[in-house]
Amino acid sequence: MASRSARSRPKVIVTRRLPQAVEARMAELFDVELNLSDTPMSEAALADAASRCDVLVPTVTDRIDAAVFAGAGGRLKLCANFGVGVDHIDLAAARAAEVMVTNTPGVLTDDTADMVMALILSVPRRLAEGEKLVRAGEWQGWSPTGMLGHRITGKRLGIVGMGRIGRAVATRARAFGLTIHYHNRHRLPDALEQDIEATWWDNLDAMLARVDIITLNCPHTPETHHLIGASQFAIMQRHAYIINAARGEIVETNALCEALAAGRIAGAGLDVFEQEPAVDPRLLAAPGVVLLPHMGSATFEGRQAMGEKVIANIRVWHDGHRPPDQVLEGWA
Ligand code: 8YV
């Protein structure tokens, strides 16, 4: 493969602020343009950036659609996403424009699984409510019937999407005494399934009807868009909780709000939303709901590692090799 290294340093445009050490290293290696204000770029600014660089480094807050690729005019060759999910990038348009796409898998698995676990504990045990009570100065002291929630141990956890993050959630959940059920396109290898004593459900709805806590850990793709809607909420158990730290678009927000309002399910723990950063006011008002600002992977260590992966992908690509985290169309 012909090396691109003989050419001058690649022009790299980064759409948001990255950890300081990552930006500093990028400045050493590349002809880099940083977004020092950290303001999300408009569609016009993204299109302009794409036409002026060899490598674009976007994040989940950028919509890299067909217009951006079409307007790039052939210079853009690599879209090195800072993040694992690539649903904000039109992969078919990238392929048509001959732009390679990479992401940052693996390095945010544990952090995201920890956050899922935190929500699994927070919602049934009413952590956010309890904290609010104390801070508001309204706590009247311990009582035998005060702040009762539901026990975690012994409950059935239904994991939708058994990739890296789903499996990391399963391992943690086992330690908390949950039994593991999962729905995934492919069944896990026997050894892995036995290791976590997991039950595979070919049929999503059949699993949803049987589990106590549901966690969504699949990528957002055309197949998983609104995977959980009114008919899924209708078959869940009334005491069930739903946790989403994957993508807001996997759940039909209106159906979720209606299910919560009607007591169709007991509560929800959400780290992601359909129209981020907007949050449906009905979710803000609903009891039994814990809301977080898309912070699943927000650790210093994780963000640093994500930046290093972006740099590694750009360098390998620039050296004329296939970058380690190339995203293939249809896969996240
Ligand atoms: C990232 C995420 O921080 O990587 C992902 O898919 O959802 C987040 O945890 C974000 O996407 C960065 O672009």
Side-chain angles (χ1 to χ4, degrees):
M1 213 185 249
S3 166
R4 295 177 178 89
S5 302
R7 284 198 246 136
S8 57
R9 303 192 302 168
K11 168 87 176 182
V12 177
I13 298 186
V14 184
T15 67
R16 299 294 301 271
R17 285 229 76 158
L18 300 184
Q20 204 273 325
V22 174
E23 290 189 343
R25 185 66 180 137
M26 283 184 159
E28 282 171 12
L29 295 167
F30 314 130
D31 171 15
V32 72
E33 193 175 304
L34 302 169
N35 178 358
L36 298 180
S37 73
D38 200 30
T39 315
M41 285 175 152
S42 66
E43 215 179 312
L46 283 170
D48 172 60
S51 70
R52 293 187 297 106
C53 66
D54 305 299
V55 182
L56 187 68
V57 179
T59 74
V60 69
T61 56
D62 306 304
R63 189 130 306 279
I64 314 295
D65 56 17
V68 172
F69 287 115
R75 176 164 182 189
L76 182 68
K77 288 281 174 267
L78 175 64
C79 186
N81 188 53
F82 182 86
V84 66
V86 288
D87 53 329
H88 55 293
I89 302 173
D90 186 332
L91 296 179
R95 174 182 287 205
E98 295 184 2
V99 177
M100 189 180 283
V101 177
T102 58
N103 66 348
T104 62
V107 292
L108 41 74
T109 305
D110 288 326
D111 296 328
T112 308
D114 287 346
M115 196 57 82
V116 170
M117 214 46 230
L119 286 170
I120 289 175
L121 298 175
S122 297
V123 179
R125 295 300 306 272
R126 305 172 62 186
L127 254 59
E129 257 179 276
E131 217 254 356
K132 224 163 107 189
L133 189 77
V134 175
R135 281 187 187 279
E138 288 169 7
W139 183 37
Q140 303 294 319
W142 185 88
S143 85
T145 55
M147 288 307 299
L148 301 188
H150 285 280
R151 180 180 289 163
I152 306 297
T153 308
K155 297 291 181 339
R156 294 162 168 244
L157 177 66
I159 302 177
V160 181
M162 207 53 154
R164 289 184 190 82
I165 296 172
R167 294 200 297 272
V169 169
T171 309
R172 285 158 174 74
R174 286 284 297 149
F176 279 86
L178 287 151
T179 55
I180 309 301
H181 299 257
Y182 74 99
H183 170 74
N184 199 45
R185 276 180 307 185
H186 309 292
R187 194 168 175 171
L188 291 179
D190 280 355
L192 216 52
E193 212 175 72
Q194 280 158 23
D195 200 36
I196 49 175
E197 293 179 69
T199 304
W200 179 62
W201 294 79
D202 185 21
N203 185 298
L204 172 64
D205 288 358
M207 180 181 87
L208 294 177
R210 293 294 305 279
V211 296
D212 306 301
I213 303 171
I214 295 134
T215 171
L216 305 176
N217 295 112
C218 55
H220 172 228
T221 64
E223 291 73 39
T224 64
H225 187 82
H226 286 180
L227 184 68
I228 307 295
S231 51
Q232 281 68 41
F233 287 116
I235 55 178
M236 289 177 194
Q237 308 195 68
R238 291 189 93 86
H239 65 259
Y241 301 97
I242 185 161
I243 308 297
N244 188 5
R247 281 294 180 270
E249 292 88 342
I250 299 168
V251 178
E252 217 180 305
T253 306
N254 192 48
L256 170 62
C257 293
E258 285 178 357
L260 287 164
R264 275 290 332 145
I265 59 168
L270 308 173
D271 185 44
V272 288
F273 305 88
E274 275 204 87
Q275 307 291 338
E276 289 179 18
V279 176
D280 191 304
R282 291 172 295 175
L283 291 174
L284 297 173
V289 177
V290 174
L291 306 170
L292 297 177
H294 197 150
M295 57 192 277
S297 72
T299 65
F300 292 106
E301 297 87 344
R303 294 286 157 86
Q304 173 73 26
M306 287 161 71
E308 280 164 19
K309 271 205 164 263
V310 169
I311 291 171
N313 281 314
I314 298 173
R315 291 196 81 181
V316 173
W317 165 80
H318 192 242
D319 279 346
H321 303 290
R322 186 190 148 124
D325 306 311
Q326 184 180 354
V327 173
L328 302 174
E329 199 187 326
W331 295 81

